[in-house]
Amino acid sequence: MHTTEFILVTPQAQPHVAHIQLNRPKELNALNLQLMGELRDALKILDEDDAVRVIVISGNERAFAAGADIKQMAGKTAIDMLHIDQFSTWDQIRKTKKPLIAAVSGFALGGGCELAMTCDMIVASETAVFGQPEIKIGVMPGAGGTQRLTRAIGKAKAMEMVLTGKFMTATEAEKHGLINRIVPVELYLDEAFKLAAEIAEMSPVAARLAKEAVNRAFETHLDEGLYFERKNFYLCFASEDQTEGMNAFVEKRKPAFKGK
Ligand code: CAA
């Protein structure tokens, strides 16, 4: 793993589960260009590491991330932004093949909320707050907020959040389907790792194909999504994990998946 300044990477935080912690605590983990570059590179390395099956991304208790770094963007022109093209980094993150779990405590705002939503699942502490407050600084979400939040919680709620910058509590976020679950703050990381461990026991081949297929639901119409799902289902039968999983069921034993 490369040396990183703004993230901490533990490839085997527990068996088959990697942990990336955003680590700019004084700035509430504001996502500057360097941090996002480090995150992209770390995810790429972990995605290619056969020993890793699930990746947990967290911040700290006070903040998952309070958004893109406003101080870094403040003096930029539209043409600067076009050249820097900071959100192209996010396209790479979205391409991560292994399941990503965001463990969110405290602020998940702007790019922080967008990063959590780029992950596949969100485990939140009861102190978590989600929001797209960009409108309050004269801009709008730029890393998927208008699209992912709308798909997750519906147009009316998303529109209100994006147009007023109002925050949503963890309780509301759970009620509206943005997150998987809420736990007391001292347990949010444990809970995320518990979920990761459960997924890490499954066939990594099937998990990858299933993640792709679920994501297709957001990217295409139903016919195309069903066709894609079916192809991935059939492709599972090219894996040793499929044989192992089905044989284990028939033989009434626990399967040992190898990701092959
Ligand atoms: N960028 C840069 N610095 C940030 C930051 C951000 N997004 N969020 C917080 N910080 C810094 C603060 O400037 C402060 O630094 P100093 O101590 O040097 O002044 C430090 O983190 C602590 O923050 P506060 O003192 O403001 O803490 P607070 O508890 O009073 O308030 C907060 C917390 C409500 C989250 C407030 O910091 C805040 O409103 N932050 C900005 C949230 C925001 O607008 N995010 C969207 C950014 S734009 C974006 O994300 C675009 C996109 O689509 C990707």
Side-chain angles (χ1 to χ4, degrees):
M1 197 65 57
H2 302 298
T3 316
T4 54
E5 185 180 352
F6 296 129
I7 61 171
L8 299 171
V9 183
T10 314
Q12 290 289 317
Q14 60 184 38
H16 300 305
V17 179
H19 183 201
I20 299 177
Q21 185 180 10
L22 310 180
N23 192 33
R24 280 189 89 198
K26 277 205 231 99
E27 294 82 6
L28 305 183
N29 292 329
L31 305 168
N32 65 12
L33 294 172
Q34 186 182 331
L35 186 155
M36 289 308 296
E38 290 178 6
L39 180 59
R40 173 203 54 206
D41 294 346
L43 283 171
K44 187 160 188 301
I45 292 168
L46 296 172
D47 215 23
E48 286 166 3
D49 179 346
D50 286 344
V52 173
R53 295 184 178 182
V54 184
I55 302 163
V56 174
I57 301 179
S58 76
N60 53 53
E61 278 189 16
R62 186 164 177 228
F64 178 71
D69 191 322
I70 301 169
K71 291 169 191 164
Q72 197 171 50
M73 291 185 294
K76 299 279 187 288
T77 66
I79 303 304
D80 291 335
M81 294 303 280
L82 197 66
H83 285 314
I84 296 167
D85 193 14
Q86 70 193 66
F87 298 133
S88 58
T89 316
W90 296 66
D91 295 336
Q92 285 302 316
I93 294 172
R94 188 165 68 95
K95 286 182 187 149
T96 306
K97 296 181 182 85
K98 290 175 184 164
L100 293 177
I101 299 174
V104 175
S105 181
F107 300 113
L109 303 176
C113 187
E114 289 166 311
L115 178 59
M117 292 190 292
T118 304
C119 294
D120 302 305
M121 285 156 284
I122 302 175
V123 172
S125 90
E126 56 204 355
T127 65
V129 282
F130 299 86
Q132 298 291 160
E134 291 89 343
I135 193 107
K136 291 186 176 169
I137 53 168
V139 291
M140 58 175 280
T146 61
Q147 305 304 300
R148 291 204 178 90
L149 192 63
T150 308
R151 282 167 164 83
I153 67 174
K155 178 180 166 182
K157 289 281 171 195
M159 193 66 94
E160 187 175 340
M161 283 176 76
V162 169
L163 295 186
T164 66
K166 220 183 263 174
F167 298 166
M168 184 175 253
T169 62
T171 311
E172 287 172 284
E174 189 186 32
K175 184 169 137 206
H176 296 297
L178 181 63
I179 64 176
N180 292 69
R181 65 195 66 150
I182 314 174
V183 290
V185 64
E186 62 279 11
L187 294 179
Y188 81 100
L189 257 184
D190 288 349
E191 187 66 22
F193 277 107
K194 229 158 78 185
L195 178 58
E198 220 178 296
I199 298 165
E201 279 195 16
M202 307 299 162
S203 158
V205 179
R208 171 184 167 170
L209 294 173
K211 168 175 166 161
E212 258 178 30
V214 172
N215 280 335
R216 269 299 155 114
F218 293 102
E219 289 155 10
T220 187
H221 53 82
L222 185 60
D223 259 1
E224 163 68 23
L226 291 172
Y227 178 72
F228 185 87
E229 179 193 69
R230 192 169 310 160
K231 290 282 182 191
N232 273 9
F233 179 77
Y234 296 154
L235 188 54
C236 288
F237 286 72
S239 72
E240 291 175 21
D241 282 353
Q242 174 270 333
T243 313
E244 168 63 10
M246 294 195 177
N247 284 347
F249 177 83
V250 173
E251 292 158 15
K252 299 188 186 300
R253 60 175 174 82
K254 204 170 177 296
F257 292 121
K258 296 197 182 106
K260 297 208 159 121

